[in-house]
Amino acid sequence: MKLLSLHDTLSRKRQEVLPSDGKVFRFYCCGPTVYGPAHIGNFRTFLVQDLLRRVVELSGIETCHVRNITDVDDKTIRESQSAGISLADFTAGWTARFHDDARALNILKPHVEPGAVQHIPEQITLIETLLASGHAYCSGDGSVYFKVSSYAPYGRLSRLDTRELRAGAGESANDADEYDKDNVSDFVLWKTRKPVDGENYWESPWGEGRPGWHLECSAMGMKYLGESFDLHAGGVDLCFPHHENEIAQSEAATGKTFARHWFHNEHLMVDGSKMSKSLGNLYTLADIMERGFGPGELRYALLAGSCRTKINFSMERLQEAQGNLQRLAAFIAKLGGSLPAYDELCRLAAAGSLDTGPFLPVWEALLEDLNTPAALGQLFTVLKPLEKALAAGSLKEEEMDAARTGLAVIVQAFGWIIPEVADEAGNAADVPVEIAQMAEQRWAAKQEKNWQESDRLRDELAVAGWTIKDTADGYEVEPSRQ
RNA sequence: GGCGAGGUAGCAAAGUGGUAAUGCGCUGGUCUGCAAAACCGGUAUUCGCGGGUUCGAUUCCCGCCCUCGCCUCCA
């Protein structure tokens, strides 16, 4: 079976995604900082990573997926204090919210989801190693910094050399707590305790304080995946300095390649620019649902664009998603039977007996750098003749089986949430009494060929948000599409 | 200033050295009292601009213009 090949940020080439140990594909994803609800841009990243994992697993490869929760940093401390609750309670609340949203979006749970606070000893050990080998130094105030000049390959990932870093950093880089660095590009490994930190500090050989923000990913990644693992993922913005610093501190400590493959997805844009609180163009899943869309439509829309290009978010995209998902739902319903479940497909793939049948071109598009737009193009190309054949009743039983399995692979790779197909019985129950009565009156008027009255009632129903569809022997009432 | 991504029909978005997938929209038709839904068909002689290489470039090379991101916390 063909395998996924994916663009690697470090080499700038496409590489096959393979487990280095031949068994389990081990990968790390930078997770959320839990100081508020994640926005849909954050979820684009987690959705793309979910797609990656699903494609790997549906290729028959077992994975170990680690995604951290950042539960201590300036923002979580500041926000917990203004909320007047402990850091632990504060981050637990937002972590729960993140889990709820992720579940709604059908994102697979990572195998390990470590938090920074639970891994302070591991981070301290890593700092000790770096100090012992001369890659780090203590400053006068009890902080510890990584000495960038001690690690020659620094800047390879983002292609910034240290001179450029210095020039570009500008004049505003003098953070009050970082006055004691030897060099502006050095970054903090351990932050000494400050009054604003309140009770949020830990003991260390260098005094009270807390770990620097890059450290947790190195320490936890290596703890759960080994000193060297298969792939590390995150949004493009993390490329520098976060991932650059992770590489430096990890590889300086171990002398081994930290991650073999770096995968960065592009950002989600809104109104032509990056989402941010200051621009007021930031949406959460809850905001989307308030506008009448579901997580399924959001998932479809966010995965419809290539993960390597920026996509501009809009409600039109959700509408398009809605229509396409309904088309798929209708096809699946007409196909009958049930589609094989995710785990079943993975088992078949692992045994080398998963056949995507007529959907092979769709699957192969996904294997080419997770090219979802091409995959969707192929999907509809494949679907059209099948829809026709199905409507004509000319599809043989074995062809229907092949279609069920093949389509299931695609649906599961995308992790699509297929909506219920509205049937008359299920629908009738949801129609309010007065709407049903109006519809009934309109039907009566229509039977009497009183077009004026029946059209008037139909318009009135439309204003109320309901659409009438006349059928061969009656009518249906449905909520209008937006 | 440095680094990076991108400019393809009304919108979104693939793609290839040999002549432009797909979705939405729009539009014509079938159906309908008229609609809606569904179905059938149409919808870029052209791929930011100007050169060059080539039998042939949207696809390769050079220059230019424009948009966006990163260089500071950030998915």
mmCIF file of all heavy atoms in Angstrom, chain B residues 26-42:
data_model
loop_
_atom_site.group_PDB
_atom_site.id
_atom_site.type_symbol
_atom_site.label_atom_id
_atom_site.label_comp_id
_atom_site.label_asym_id
_atom_site.label_seq_id
_atom_site.Cartn_x
_atom_site.Cartn_y
_atom_site.Cartn_z
ATOM 1 P P C B 26 -27.519 31.655 -7.371
ATOM 2 O OP1 C B 26 -28.460 32.630 -6.783
ATOM 3 O OP2 C B 26 -27.899 30.225 -7.427
ATOM 4 O "O5'" C B 26 -27.130 32.127 -8.835
ATOM 5 C "C5'" C B 26 -26.706 33.463 -9.063
ATOM 6 C "C4'" C B 26 -26.190 33.593 -10.477
ATOM 7 O "O4'" C B 26 -25.011 32.751 -10.639
ATOM 8 C "C3'" C B 26 -27.135 33.085 -11.560
ATOM 9 O "O3'" C B 26 -28.115 34.062 -11.893
ATOM 10 C "C2'" C B 26 -26.165 32.820 -12.703
ATOM 11 O "O2'" C B 26 -25.771 34.012 -13.354
ATOM 12 C "C1'" C B 26 -24.967 32.233 -11.961
ATOM 13 N N1 C B 26 -25.016 30.758 -11.893
ATOM 14 C C2 C B 26 -24.605 30.020 -13.020
ATOM 15 O O2 C B 26 -24.220 30.639 -14.025
ATOM 16 N N3 C B 26 -24.636 28.676 -12.988
ATOM 17 C C4 C B 26 -25.065 28.052 -11.883
ATOM 18 N N4 C B 26 -25.070 26.727 -11.891
ATOM 19 C C5 C B 26 -25.491 28.778 -10.728
ATOM 20 C C6 C B 26 -25.455 30.116 -10.775
ATOM 21 P P U B 27 -29.579 33.582 -12.311
ATOM 22 O OP1 U B 27 -30.390 34.794 -12.506
ATOM 23 O OP2 U B 27 -30.025 32.517 -11.373
ATOM 24 O "O5'" U B 27 -29.329 32.901 -13.734
ATOM 25 C "C5'" U B 27 -28.915 33.688 -14.849
ATOM 26 C "C4'" U B 27 -28.623 32.782 -16.018
ATOM 27 O "O4'" U B 27 -27.507 31.913 -15.692
ATOM 28 C "C3'" U B 27 -29.742 31.811 -16.379
ATOM 29 O "O3'" U B 27 -30.750 32.418 -17.183
ATOM 30 C "C2'" U B 27 -28.970 30.740 -17.145
ATOM 31 O "O2'" U B 27 -28.657 31.156 -18.454
ATOM 32 C "C1'" U B 27 -27.693 30.651 -16.304
ATOM 33 N N1 U B 27 -27.805 29.618 -15.248
ATOM 34 C C2 U B 27 -27.550 28.308 -15.606
ATOM 35 O O2 U B 27 -27.228 27.982 -16.732
ATOM 36 N N3 U B 27 -27.694 27.393 -14.588
ATOM 37 C C4 U B 27 -28.067 27.658 -13.287
ATOM 38 O O4 U B 27 -28.154 26.726 -12.483
ATOM 39 C C5 U B 27 -28.325 29.041 -13.003
ATOM 40 C C6 U B 27 -28.188 29.953 -13.965
ATOM 41 P P G B 28 -32.248 31.824 -17.165
ATOM 42 O OP1 G B 28 -33.122 32.841 -17.762
ATOM 43 O OP2 G B 28 -32.522 31.306 -15.795
ATOM 44 O "O5'" G B 28 -32.141 30.575 -18.150
ATOM 45 C "C5'" G B 28 -32.144 30.786 -19.559
ATOM 46 C "C4'" G B 28 -31.973 29.472 -20.268
ATOM 47 O "O4'" G B 28 -30.730 28.865 -19.852
ATOM 48 C "C3'" G B 28 -33.002 28.400 -19.947
ATOM 49 O "O3'" G B 28 -34.227 28.577 -20.647
ATOM 50 C "C2'" G B 28 -32.272 27.151 -20.403
ATOM 51 O "O2'" G B 28 -32.243 27.033 -21.808
ATOM 52 C "C1'" G B 28 -30.858 27.447 -19.881
ATOM 53 N N9 G B 28 -30.701 26.917 -18.530
ATOM 54 C C8 G B 28 -30.704 27.616 -17.338
ATOM 55 N N7 G B 28 -30.564 26.844 -16.298
ATOM 56 C C5 G B 28 -30.468 25.564 -16.818
ATOM 57 C C6 G B 28 -30.308 24.311 -16.174
ATOM 58 O O6 G B 28 -30.220 24.071 -14.964
ATOM 59 N N1 G B 28 -30.263 23.263 -17.096
ATOM 60 C C2 G B 28 -30.351 23.406 -18.448
ATOM 61 N N2 G B 28 -30.291 22.280 -19.170
ATOM 62 N N3 G B 28 -30.499 24.569 -19.067
ATOM 63 C C4 G B 28 -30.539 25.592 -18.196
ATOM 64 P P G B 29 -35.604 28.076 -19.994
ATOM 65 O OP1 G B 29 -36.701 28.486 -20.890
ATOM 66 O OP2 G B 29 -35.621 28.462 -18.561
ATOM 67 O "O5'" G B 29 -35.445 26.495 -20.050
ATOM 68 C "C5'" G B 29 -35.439 25.822 -21.306
ATOM 69 C "C4'" G B 29 -35.138 24.365 -21.107
ATOM 70 O "O4'" G B 29 -33.910 24.228 -20.350
ATOM 71 C "C3'" G B 29 -36.148 23.577 -20.287
ATOM 72 O "O3'" G B 29 -37.273 23.194 -21.054
ATOM 73 C "C2'" G B 29 -35.307 22.357 -19.884
ATOM 74 O "O2'" G B 29 -35.180 21.436 -20.940
ATOM 75 C "C1'" G B 29 -33.949 23.007 -19.611
ATOM 76 N N9 G B 29 -33.754 23.301 -18.187
ATOM 77 C C8 G B 29 -33.751 24.520 -17.561
ATOM 78 N N7 G B 29 -33.555 24.444 -16.271
ATOM 79 C C5 G B 29 -33.420 23.077 -16.032
ATOM 80 C C6 G B 29 -33.193 22.383 -14.826
ATOM 81 O O6 G B 29 -33.055 22.829 -13.678
ATOM 82 N N1 G B 29 -33.135 21.006 -15.024
ATOM 83 C C2 G B 29 -33.275 20.387 -16.246
ATOM 84 N N2 G B 29 -33.200 19.057 -16.241
ATOM 85 N N3 G B 29 -33.485 21.040 -17.383
ATOM 86 C C4 G B 29 -33.540 22.367 -17.198
ATOM 87 P P U B 30 -38.676 22.920 -20.326
ATOM 88 O OP1 U B 30 -39.680 22.709 -21.394
ATOM 89 O OP2 U B 30 -38.880 23.966 -19.291
ATOM 90 O "O5'" U B 30 -38.415 21.535 -19.599
ATOM 91 C "C5'" U B 30 -38.228 20.351 -20.363
ATOM 92 C "C4'" U B 30 -38.030 19.180 -19.430
ATOM 93 O "O4'" U B 30 -36.821 19.393 -18.646
ATOM 94 C "C3'" U B 30 -39.110 19.002 -18.377
ATOM 95 O "O3'" U B 30 -40.231 18.298 -18.904
ATOM 96 C "C2'" U B 30 -38.378 18.192 -17.313
ATOM 97 O "O2'" U B 30 -38.282 16.830 -17.659
ATOM 98 C "C1'" U B 30 -36.979 18.819 -17.365
ATOM 99 N N1 U B 30 -36.799 19.882 -16.356
ATOM 100 C C2 U B 30 -36.570 19.477 -15.045
ATOM 101 O O2 U B 30 -36.529 18.321 -14.711
ATOM 102 N N3 U B 30 -36.402 20.506 -14.147
ATOM 103 C C4 U B 30 -36.435 21.855 -14.416
ATOM 104 O O4 U B 30 -36.263 22.657 -13.506
ATOM 105 C C5 U B 30 -36.681 22.185 -15.798
ATOM 106 C C6 U B 30 -36.851 21.205 -16.695
ATOM 107 P P C B 31 -41.713 18.788 -18.525
ATOM 108 O OP1 C B 31 -42.652 17.861 -19.187
ATOM 109 O OP2 C B 31 -41.821 20.251 -18.762
ATOM 110 O "O5'" C B 31 -41.781 18.526 -16.963
ATOM 111 C "C5'" C B 31 -41.742 17.192 -16.444
ATOM 112 C "C4'" C B 31 -41.625 17.237 -14.949
ATOM 113 O "O4'" C B 31 -40.379 17.899 -14.576
ATOM 114 C "C3'" C B 31 -42.696 18.070 -14.243
ATOM 115 O "O3'" C B 31 -43.880 17.307 -14.045
ATOM 116 C "C2'" C B 31 -42.012 18.419 -12.930
ATOM 117 O "O2'" C B 31 -42.040 17.327 -12.024
ATOM 118 C "C1'" C B 31 -40.565 18.645 -13.384
ATOM 119 N N1 C B 31 -40.275 20.066 -13.674
ATOM 120 C C2 C B 31 -39.988 20.913 -12.594
ATOM 121 O O2 C B 31 -39.998 20.454 -11.445
ATOM 122 N N3 C B 31 -39.734 22.222 -12.851
ATOM 123 C C4 C B 31 -39.737 22.684 -14.102
ATOM 124 N N4 C B 31 -39.468 23.973 -14.292
ATOM 125 C C5 C B 31 -40.026 21.840 -15.211
ATOM 126 C C6 C B 31 -40.287 20.551 -14.953
ATOM 127 P P U B 32 -45.296 17.945 -14.332
ATOM 128 O OP1 U B 32 -46.318 16.918 -14.026
ATOM 129 O OP2 U B 32 -45.244 18.568 -15.676
ATOM 130 O "O5'" U B 32 -45.414 19.113 -13.264
ATOM 131 C "C5'" U B 32 -45.551 18.812 -11.878
ATOM 132 C "C4'" U B 32 -45.542 20.081 -11.076
ATOM 133 O "O4'" U B 32 -44.259 20.743 -11.221
ATOM 134 C "C3'" U B 32 -46.535 21.146 -11.537
ATOM 135 O "O3'" U B 32 -47.831 20.884 -11.002
ATOM 136 C "C2'" U B 32 -45.922 22.424 -10.953
ATOM 137 O "O2'" U B 32 -46.214 22.570 -9.584
ATOM 138 C "C1'" U B 32 -44.418 22.148 -11.116
ATOM 139 N N1 U B 32 -43.843 22.789 -12.317
ATOM 140 C C2 U B 32 -43.385 24.090 -12.181
ATOM 141 O O2 U B 32 -43.452 24.699 -11.132
ATOM 142 N N3 U B 32 -42.877 24.648 -13.317
ATOM 143 C C4 U B 32 -42.749 24.057 -14.548
ATOM 144 O O4 U B 32 -42.251 24.692 -15.481
ATOM 145 C C5 U B 32 -43.250 22.712 -14.614
ATOM 146 C C6 U B 32 -43.769 22.138 -13.521
ATOM 147 P P G B 33 -49.079 21.025 -11.936
ATOM 148 O OP1 G B 33 -50.244 20.660 -11.112
ATOM 149 O OP2 G B 33 -48.818 20.315 -13.225
ATOM 150 O "O5'" G B 33 -49.125 22.581 -12.234
ATOM 151 C "C5'" G B 33 -49.856 23.085 -13.364
ATOM 152 C "C4'" G B 33 -50.065 24.556 -13.204
ATOM 153 O "O4'" G B 33 -50.917 24.792 -12.052
ATOM 154 C "C3'" G B 33 -48.806 25.357 -12.891
ATOM 155 O "O3'" G B 33 -48.112 25.678 -14.079
ATOM 156 C "C2'" G B 33 -49.380 26.599 -12.218
ATOM 157 O "O2'" G B 33 -49.896 27.512 -13.162
ATOM 158 C "C1'" G B 33 -50.539 25.995 -11.419
ATOM 159 N N9 G B 33 -50.184 25.704 -10.027
ATOM 160 C C8 G B 33 -50.147 24.485 -9.426
ATOM 161 N N7 G B 33 -49.828 24.547 -8.156
ATOM 162 C C5 G B 33 -49.668 25.904 -7.912
ATOM 163 C C6 G B 33 -49.338 26.590 -6.719
ATOM 164 O O6 G B 33 -49.108 26.125 -5.596
ATOM 165 N N1 G B 33 -49.267 27.969 -6.927
ATOM 166 C C2 G B 33 -49.488 28.586 -8.111
ATOM 167 N N2 G B 33 -49.367 29.901 -8.098
ATOM 168 N N3 G B 33 -49.805 27.962 -9.236
ATOM 169 C C4 G B 33 -49.886 26.625 -9.058
ATOM 170 P P C B 34 -46.553 25.508 -14.160
ATOM 171 O OP1 C B 34 -46.169 25.905 -15.516
ATOM 172 O OP2 C B 34 -46.182 24.185 -13.648
ATOM 173 O "O5'" C B 34 -46.038 26.627 -13.150
ATOM 174 C "C5'" C B 34 -46.160 28.003 -13.495
ATOM 175 C "C4'" C B 34 -45.827 28.862 -12.320
ATOM 176 O "O4'" C B 34 -46.720 28.575 -11.217
ATOM 177 C "C3'" C B 34 -44.460 28.651 -11.692
ATOM 178 O "O3'" C B 34 -43.445 29.275 -12.445
ATOM 179 C "C2'" C B 34 -44.636 29.341 -10.341
ATOM 180 O "O2'" C B 34 -44.575 30.739 -10.429
ATOM 181 C "C1'" C B 34 -46.085 28.927 -10.004
ATOM 182 N N1 C B 34 -46.105 27.774 -9.088
ATOM 183 C C2 C B 34 -45.887 28.004 -7.728
ATOM 184 O O2 C B 34 -45.669 29.169 -7.357
ATOM 185 N N3 C B 34 -45.910 26.971 -6.867
ATOM 186 C C4 C B 34 -46.136 25.740 -7.319
ATOM 187 N N4 C B 34 -46.144 24.752 -6.429
ATOM 188 C C5 C B 34 -46.368 25.473 -8.699
ATOM 189 C C6 C B 34 -46.348 26.511 -9.559
ATOM 190 P P A B 35 -41.946 28.817 -12.296
ATOM 191 O OP1 A B 35 -41.095 29.759 -13.045
ATOM 192 O OP2 A B 35 -41.873 27.364 -12.575
ATOM 193 O "O5'" A B 35 -41.690 29.080 -10.752
ATOM 194 C "C5'" A B 35 -40.813 28.263 -10.009
ATOM 195 C "C4'" A B 35 -40.989 28.598 -8.554
ATOM 196 O "O4'" A B 35 -42.310 28.172 -8.117
ATOM 197 C "C3'" A B 35 -40.029 27.893 -7.625
ATOM 198 O "O3'" A B 35 -38.806 28.581 -7.550
ATOM 199 C "C2'" A B 35 -40.798 27.940 -6.310
ATOM 200 O "O2'" A B 35 -40.733 29.204 -5.707
ATOM 201 C "C1'" A B 35 -42.214 27.669 -6.795
ATOM 202 N N9 A B 35 -42.539 26.244 -6.840
ATOM 203 C C8 A B 35 -42.780 25.466 -7.939
ATOM 204 N N7 A B 35 -43.042 24.210 -7.650
ATOM 205 C C5 A B 35 -42.951 24.157 -6.271
ATOM 206 C C6 A B 35 -43.110 23.112 -5.346
ATOM 207 N N6 A B 35 -43.416 21.868 -5.704
ATOM 208 N N1 A B 35 -42.955 23.395 -4.036
ATOM 209 C C2 A B 35 -42.652 24.650 -3.688
ATOM 210 N N3 A B 35 -42.471 25.723 -4.463
ATOM 211 C C4 A B 35 -42.643 25.398 -5.751
ATOM 212 P P A B 36 -37.446 27.764 -7.685
ATOM 213 O OP1 A B 36 -36.344 28.742 -7.639
ATOM 214 O OP2 A B 36 -37.542 26.803 -8.799
ATOM 215 O "O5'" A B 36 -37.447 26.943 -6.323
ATOM 216 C "C5'" A B 36 -37.397 27.618 -5.065
ATOM 217 C "C4'" A B 36 -37.609 26.603 -3.967
ATOM 218 O "O4'" A B 36 -38.948 26.059 -4.075
ATOM 219 C "C3'" A B 36 -36.703 25.383 -4.049
ATOM 220 O "O3'" A B 36 -35.453 25.633 -3.449
ATOM 221 C "C2'" A B 36 -37.512 24.349 -3.275
ATOM 222 O "O2'" A B 36 -37.419 24.546 -1.891
ATOM 223 C "C1'" A B 36 -38.928 24.691 -3.736
ATOM 224 N N9 A B 36 -39.331 23.918 -4.918
ATOM 225 C C8 A B 36 -39.428 24.354 -6.212
ATOM 226 N N7 A B 36 -39.832 23.431 -7.058
ATOM 227 C C5 A B 36 -40.005 22.315 -6.265
ATOM 228 C C6 A B 36 -40.422 21.006 -6.551
ATOM 229 N N6 A B 36 -40.750 20.586 -7.773
ATOM 230 N N1 A B 36 -40.482 20.127 -5.529
ATOM 231 C C2 A B 36 -40.151 20.550 -4.298
ATOM 232 N N3 A B 36 -39.751 21.763 -3.901
ATOM 233 C C4 A B 36 -39.702 22.599 -4.939
ATOM 234 P P A B 37 -34.136 25.045 -4.116
ATOM 235 O OP1 A B 37 -33.010 25.470 -3.265
ATOM 236 O OP2 A B 37 -34.141 25.358 -5.563
ATOM 237 O "O5'" A B 37 -34.339 23.470 -3.956
ATOM 238 C "C5'" A B 37 -34.244 22.864 -2.671
ATOM 239 C "C4'" A B 37 -34.642 21.418 -2.778
ATOM 240 O "O4'" A B 37 -36.011 21.331 -3.249
ATOM 241 C "C3'" A B 37 -33.851 20.601 -3.788
ATOM 242 O "O3'" A B 37 -32.625 20.148 -3.258
ATOM 243 C "C2'" A B 37 -34.808 19.454 -4.060
ATOM 244 O "O2'" A B 37 -34.812 18.508 -3.010
ATOM 245 C "C1'" A B 37 -36.149 20.192 -4.084
ATOM 246 N N9 A B 37 -36.497 20.639 -5.430
ATOM 247 C C8 A B 37 -36.351 21.894 -5.959
ATOM 248 N N7 A B 37 -36.755 21.987 -7.209
ATOM 249 C C5 A B 37 -37.186 20.706 -7.512
ATOM 250 C C6 A B 37 -37.732 20.146 -8.672
ATOM 251 N N6 A B 37 -37.949 20.833 -9.797
ATOM 252 N N1 A B 37 -38.046 18.831 -8.652
ATOM 253 C C2 A B 37 -37.830 18.139 -7.520
ATOM 254 N N3 A B 37 -37.333 18.565 -6.368
ATOM 255 C C4 A B 37 -37.029 19.862 -6.423
ATOM 256 P P A B 38 -31.374 19.976 -4.221
ATOM 257 O OP1 A B 38 -30.250 19.509 -3.378
ATOM 258 O OP2 A B 38 -31.224 21.192 -5.051
ATOM 259 O "O5'" A B 38 -31.828 18.788 -5.185
ATOM 260 C "C5'" A B 38 -32.018 17.481 -4.666
ATOM 261 C "C4'" A B 38 -32.601 16.595 -5.740
ATOM 262 O "O4'" A B 38 -33.909 17.109 -6.131
ATOM 263 C "C3'" A B 38 -31.810 16.565 -7.043
ATOM 264 O "O3'" A B 38 -30.727 15.669 -6.978
ATOM 265 C "C2'" A B 38 -32.886 16.125 -8.027
ATOM 266 O "O2'" A B 38 -33.145 14.744 -7.927
ATOM 267 C "C1'" A B 38 -34.096 16.923 -7.524
ATOM 268 N N9 A B 38 -34.183 18.242 -8.158
ATOM 269 C C8 A B 38 -33.747 19.444 -7.668
ATOM 270 N N7 A B 38 -33.959 20.462 -8.464
ATOM 271 C C5 A B 38 -34.585 19.891 -9.567
ATOM 272 C C6 A B 38 -35.072 20.433 -10.771
ATOM 273 N N6 A B 38 -35.009 21.739 -11.076
ATOM 274 N N1 A B 38 -35.631 19.584 -11.664
ATOM 275 C C2 A B 38 -35.702 18.277 -11.362
ATOM 276 N N3 A B 38 -35.275 17.653 -10.255
ATOM 277 C C4 A B 38 -34.730 18.512 -9.393
ATOM 278 P P C B 39 -29.392 16.028 -7.759
ATOM 279 O OP1 C B 39 -28.363 15.084 -7.283
ATOM 280 O OP2 C B 39 -29.160 17.490 -7.671
ATOM 281 O "O5'" C B 39 -29.742 15.687 -9.267
ATOM 282 C "C5'" C B 39 -30.089 14.354 -9.630
ATOM 283 C "C4'" C B 39 -30.715 14.357 -10.992
ATOM 284 O "O4'" C B 39 -31.924 15.182 -10.960
ATOM 285 C "C3'" C B 39 -29.881 15.000 -12.096
ATOM 286 O "O3'" C B 39 -28.920 14.097 -12.617
ATOM 287 C "C2'" C B 39 -30.950 15.359 -13.116
ATOM 288 O "O2'" C B 39 -31.375 14.224 -13.851
ATOM 289 C "C1'" C B 39 -32.080 15.843 -12.209
ATOM 290 N N1 C B 39 -32.015 17.298 -11.982
ATOM 291 C C2 C B 39 -32.552 18.149 -12.961
ATOM 292 O O2 C B 39 -33.062 17.645 -13.976
ATOM 293 N N3 C B 39 -32.506 19.482 -12.778
ATOM 294 C C4 C B 39 -31.948 19.985 -11.671
ATOM 295 N N4 C B 39 -31.924 21.312 -11.530
ATOM 296 C C5 C B 39 -31.395 19.148 -10.661
ATOM 297 C C6 C B 39 -31.450 17.819 -10.853
ATOM 298 P P C B 40 -27.576 14.649 -13.213
ATOM 299 O OP1 C B 40 -26.694 13.496 -13.446
ATOM 300 O OP2 C B 40 -27.111 15.797 -12.399
ATOM 301 O "O5'" C B 40 -28.034 15.214 -14.634
ATOM 302 C "C5'" C B 40 -28.488 14.334 -15.660
ATOM 303 C "C4'" C B 40 -28.855 15.125 -16.880
ATOM 304 O "O4'" C B 40 -29.977 16.003 -16.564
ATOM 305 C "C3'" C B 40 -27.779 16.088 -17.371
ATOM 306 O "O3'" C B 40 -26.798 15.444 -18.153
ATOM 307 C "C2'" C B 40 -28.609 17.084 -18.182
ATOM 308 O "O2'" C B 40 -28.968 16.572 -19.445
ATOM 309 C "C1'" C B 40 -29.853 17.211 -17.302
ATOM 310 N N1 C B 40 -29.747 18.330 -16.355
ATOM 311 C C2 C B 40 -29.993 19.622 -16.837
ATOM 312 O O2 C B 40 -30.275 19.780 -18.026
ATOM 313 N N3 C B 40 -29.902 20.677 -15.985
ATOM 314 C C4 C B 40 -29.586 20.468 -14.704
ATOM 315 N N4 C B 40 -29.515 21.534 -13.908
ATOM 316 C C5 C B 40 -29.327 19.166 -14.197
ATOM 317 C C6 C B 40 -29.420 18.129 -15.042
ATOM 318 P P G B 41 -25.314 15.978 -18.100
ATOM 319 O OP1 G B 41 -24.543 15.103 -19.031
ATOM 320 O OP2 G B 41 -24.897 16.121 -16.692
ATOM 321 O "O5'" G B 41 -25.403 17.452 -18.724
ATOM 322 C "C5'" G B 41 -25.487 17.623 -20.121
ATOM 323 C "C4'" G B 41 -25.774 19.059 -20.474
ATOM 324 O "O4'" G B 41 -26.853 19.594 -19.673
ATOM 325 C "C3'" G B 41 -24.694 20.109 -20.257
ATOM 326 O "O3'" G B 41 -23.640 20.016 -21.199
ATOM 327 C "C2'" G B 41 -25.504 21.369 -20.499
ATOM 328 O "O2'" G B 41 -25.750 21.569 -21.865
ATOM 329 C "C1'" G B 41 -26.818 21.018 -19.794
ATOM 330 N N9 G B 41 -26.874 21.661 -18.478
ATOM 331 C C8 G B 41 -26.776 21.084 -17.228
ATOM 332 N N7 G B 41 -26.847 21.964 -16.252
ATOM 333 C C5 G B 41 -26.986 23.187 -16.893
ATOM 334 C C6 G B 41 -27.096 24.497 -16.372
ATOM 335 O O6 G B 41 -27.096 24.853 -15.182
ATOM 336 N N1 G B 41 -27.215 25.453 -17.382
ATOM 337 C C2 G B 41 -27.220 25.177 -18.717
ATOM 338 N N2 G B 41 -27.339 26.233 -19.533
ATOM 339 N N3 G B 41 -27.129 23.946 -19.219
ATOM 340 C C4 G B 41 -27.006 23.012 -18.260
ATOM 341 P P G B 42 -22.250 20.762 -20.903
ATOM 342 O OP1 G B 42 -21.368 20.488 -22.048
ATOM 343 O OP2 G B 42 -21.816 20.427 -19.526
ATOM 344 O "O5'" G B 42 -22.639 22.308 -20.908
ATOM 345 C "C5'" G B 42 -22.949 22.970 -22.128
ATOM 346 C "C4'" G B 42 -23.128 24.440 -21.870
ATOM 347 O "O4'" G B 42 -24.214 24.631 -20.928
ATOM 348 C "C3'" G B 42 -21.951 25.131 -21.188
ATOM 349 O "O3'" G B 42 -20.929 25.452 -22.115
ATOM 350 C "C2'" G B 42 -22.618 26.375 -20.611
ATOM 351 O "O2'" G B 42 -22.854 27.361 -21.591
ATOM 352 C "C1'" G B 42 -23.955 25.789 -20.142
ATOM 353 N N9 G B 42 -23.899 25.404 -18.726
ATOM 354 C C8 G B 42 -23.765 24.146 -18.205
ATOM 355 N N7 G B 42 -23.767 24.137 -16.894
ATOM 356 C C5 G B 42 -23.910 25.471 -16.533
ATOM 357 C C6 G B 42 -23.974 26.084 -15.250
ATOM 358 O O6 G B 42 -23.923 25.546 -14.137
ATOM 359 N N1 G B 42 -24.112 27.462 -15.352
ATOM 360 C C2 G B 42 -24.179 28.173 -16.529
ATOM 361 N N2 G B 42 -24.301 29.486 -16.420
ATOM 362 N N3 G B 42 -24.126 27.610 -17.730
ATOM 363 C C4 G B 42 -23.991 26.269 -17.656
#
